[in-house]
């Protein structure tokens, strides 16, 4: 190893597509870093997947900017006359580090149908982020908790230690489809704890 050369961890390509390489731990926490365009494969979405985890979000992204990104995607998909489904989402959670006031680099979103989730993954996985000059590349995978009912049940039982109740997970009624035709109301989930 030469002196002064900075080592950067890069994931190895998965030999078996059914497994994802383990991520290195730094200070007890998982760190996701990718500085090259050769991003590793994630597990395929199951046929009924509606809830996704989005990784490698630029830290300066706010919930409003993520919602704008999702709205633009849904609007584009819904303007596509070939689609036989409505692309819409009804849940977003972008964890915020309340000390630094930047996001934690990942988020959760629930689409109203599995086809919309697949289209979102196809559009964003392995791509750089709009509205940002960050070199981060999006990674989209299946979330552990699936479906809006399970998300609501899970979040309502939780106490969130965050900067304010503005950082809580939210649901939308009716679901947002990017059209702006509906007055979609945002409802917070969980309880803010100082």
């Amino acid at each position: 190893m030469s002196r002064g050369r900075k080592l950067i961890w890069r994931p190895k390509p998965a030999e078996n597509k059914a497994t994802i390489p383990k991520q290195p731990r730094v200070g007890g926490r998982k760190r996701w870093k990718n500085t090259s365009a050769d991003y590793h494969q994630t597990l395929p979405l199951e046929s009924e997947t509606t809830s996704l985890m989005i990784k490698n979000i630029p830290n300066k992204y706010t919930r409003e900017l993520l919602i704008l990104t999702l709205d633009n995607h849904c609007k584009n998909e819904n303007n596509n006359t070939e689609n036989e489904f409505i692309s819409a989402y009804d849940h977003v959670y972008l964890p915020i580090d309340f000390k630094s006031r930047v996001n934690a680099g990942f988020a959760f979103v629930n689409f109203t149908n599995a086809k919309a989730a697949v289209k979102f993954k196809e559009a964003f996985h392995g791509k750089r982020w709009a509205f940002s000059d960050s070199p981060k590349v999006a990674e989209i995978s299946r979330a552990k908790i699936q479906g809006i009912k399970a998300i609501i049940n899970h979040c309502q039982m939780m106490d969130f230690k965050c900067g304010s109740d503005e950082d809580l997970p939210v649901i939308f009624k009716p679901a947002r489809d990017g059209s702006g035709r509906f007055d979609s109301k945002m409802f917070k989930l969980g309880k803010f704890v100082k």
Side-chain angles (χ1 to χ4, degrees):
M1 178 170 32
S2 63
R3 274 198 175 162
R5 191 171 154 199
K6 188 175 180 180
L7 296 177
I8 298 175
W9 178 85
R10 289 190 179 103
K12 293 180 183 176
E15 292 176 16
N16 178 355
K17 290 187 180 181
T19 62
I20 296 176
K22 288 187 177 183
Q23 303 299 316
R25 290 188 178 266
V26 177
R29 296 184 323 170
K30 285 187 178 181
R31 304 299 281 175
W32 295 90
K33 188 172 247 179
N34 181 44
T35 57
S36 66
D38 59 329
Y39 215 73
H40 68 278
Q41 293 290 317
T42 59
L43 291 173
L45 301 183
E46 294 175 4
S47 61
E48 296 303 313
T49 297
T50 59
S51 303
L52 301 176
M53 181 177 191
I54 308 168
K55 298 176 187 170
N56 297 327
I57 298 174
N59 295 109
K60 301 290 184 193
Y61 255 59
T62 61
R63 180 170 66 194
E64 290 74 24
L65 198 50
L66 182 59
I67 289 171
L68 177 64
T69 300
L70 291 164
D71 281 349
N72 286 341
H73 167 75
C74 289
K75 182 178 181 179
N76 289 339
E77 285 299 318
N78 293 333
N79 286 339
N80 183 350
T81 56
E82 294 176 11
N83 289 343
E84 298 173 0
F85 61 91
I86 299 294
S87 185
Y89 64 98
D90 52 13
H91 164 72
V92 170
Y93 178 43
L94 178 67
I96 302 292
D97 181 329
F98 69 93
K99 290 181 182 174
S100 64
R101 296 306 304 154
V102 297
N103 74 62
F106 64 93
F108 299 94
V109 62
N110 184 67
F111 287 90
T112 56
N113 63 72
K115 289 180 181 177
V118 169
K119 285 291 188 180
F120 180 79
K121 181 177 180 180
E122 288 172 357
F124 281 83
H125 182 74
K127 308 243 175 34
R128 288 191 169 178
W129 290 90
F131 311 118
S132 173
D133 58 355
S134 171
K136 288 186 175 182
V137 176
E139 180 182 342
I140 314 299
S141 61
R142 185 179 193 276
K144 288 182 183 176
I145 300 171
Q146 286 295 308
I148 194 64
K149 288 181 182 177
I151 290 167
I152 291 170
N153 289 339
H154 179 74
C155 291
Q156 284 181 335
M157 297 185 306
M158 294 185 67
D159 294 334
F160 291 88
K161 292 184 180 181
C162 50
S164 74
D165 64 350
E166 294 299 314
D167 301 335
L168 293 172
V170 295
I171 59 171
F172 301 100
K173 291 187 181 179
R176 295 178 70 104
D177 65 358
S179 69
R181 290 181 300 213
F182 307 113
D183 186 20
S184 182
K185 295 198 187 311
M186 183 168 64
F187 298 93
K188 295 171 184 155
L189 297 174
K191 188 170 64 175
F192 163 62
V193 178
K194 288 187 179 183

